[in-house]
Amino acid sequence: MYKPITKPLLDHLSAAIALLLLSPIFLLVTLALAIANNGKPFFIQARPGKGGRIFNIIKFKTMTDSKDAQGNLLPDAERLTAIGKLVRKTSLDELPQLINVLKGDMSFVGPRPLLPEYLPLYNVAQRKRHHVKPGITGWAQINGRNAISWQQKFALDVWYVQHQSFTLDLKILLLTVKKVFVSEGINTQGQATTERFKGN
């Protein structure tokens, strides 16, 4: 009853209320990032959702598109703007994903949506993370986020899929708020973004 009916209903209702209440912050961050990123405040990218179905995830754009003399993008750490660093530290870069939740692409809680090119790299167990909708936050995010290995993340994702419940979702949401306030596990050690998954 919870997974097929109650959770989607709570997701849609909560996303609508959150977007309304957080609209001043949403507009302020949009304006600041539009100035920092030459009029491009949003980052839109294809991601696999439930069942591997591709959708476009919406996030705030925290890095510029600066390139070197050969036309290659500069390293992530060099493209991360000052306002972008603050937005990422406070997890405000995830705020536009409320639109994805409202559209039904995502849930508040679930495995994080990763890159489409990772799909053929998963083993049988890891593919189970796509049995549910991806989430803005998840079991892996409150147990290390970007500071743990890919294998640990996937194991936590699959555990969540197998134990999904209202109580667990509520626990994850409450602990996510705590993690945001202490800015814990945002980046992989020594990197501005997490290292790409290259297979098992």
Side-chain angles (χ1 to χ4, degrees):
M1 184 73 173
Y2 172 66
K3 287 184 278 188
I5 299 176
T6 307
K7 182 171 182 174
L9 183 62
L10 287 174
D11 279 338
H12 281 80
L13 183 60
S14 299
I17 294 173
L19 279 169
L20 182 63
L21 294 178
L22 297 173
S23 57
I25 296 175
F26 194 103
L27 293 173
L28 184 62
V29 175
T30 299
L31 178 61
L33 289 175
I35 295 172
N37 297 320
N38 299 315
K40 298 178 181 178
F42 299 109
F43 172 77
I44 299 175
Q45 189 177 54
R47 298 287 174 94
K50 184 177 180 181
R53 182 183 65 85
I54 303 299
F55 71 97
N56 288 320
I57 195 172
I58 309 169
K59 299 180 72 173
F60 277 128
K61 188 177 176 66
T62 57
M63 294 186 289
T64 67
D65 296 319
S66 300
K67 299 178 181 179
D68 59 22
Q70 287 71 45
N72 301 311
L73 285 173
L74 293 173
D76 291 349
E78 294 182 34
R79 295 188 294 119
L80 187 62
T81 63
I83 181 65
K85 187 174 183 180
L86 176 63
V87 168
R88 183 175 292 184
K89 183 178 181 180
T90 55
S91 292
L92 285 173
D93 57 320
E94 314 287 357
L95 193 56
Q97 288 169 67
L98 289 171
I99 298 172
N100 287 120
V101 176
L102 199 59
K103 290 172 58 183
D105 298 325
M106 295 177 63
S107 174
F108 273 93
V109 180
R112 285 295 296 158
L114 303 175
L115 297 174
E117 51 260 44
Y118 293 173
L119 288 173
L121 302 179
Y122 298 140
N123 60 34
V124 174
Q126 292 166 350
R127 290 192 189 101
K128 293 179 180 178
R129 68 191 308 278
H130 290 290
H131 287 183
V132 299
K133 286 182 182 180
I136 294 178
T137 186
W139 188 236
Q141 278 57 56
I142 64 166
N143 284 287
R145 199 175 178 179
N146 289 337
I148 58 177
S149 71
W150 281 113
Q151 284 68 29
Q152 289 173 304
K153 286 182 188 179
F154 295 147
L156 291 166
D157 287 342
V158 173
W159 186 91
Y160 170 78
V161 170
Q162 297 169 337
H163 297 83
Q164 188 180 12
S165 68
F166 173 77
T167 303
L168 180 59
D169 282 356
L170 184 59
K171 177 181 179 179
I172 291 171
L173 287 170
L174 292 175
L175 288 175
T176 296
V177 173
K178 177 185 175 183
K179 292 278 183 179
V180 169
F181 275 112
V182 298
S183 301
E184 187 175 274
I186 292 176
N187 296 323
T188 303
Q189 187 67 30
Q191 299 181 35
T193 56
T194 191
E195 186 180 354
R196 294 175 71 87
F197 177 55
K198 300 174 183 176
N200 294 281

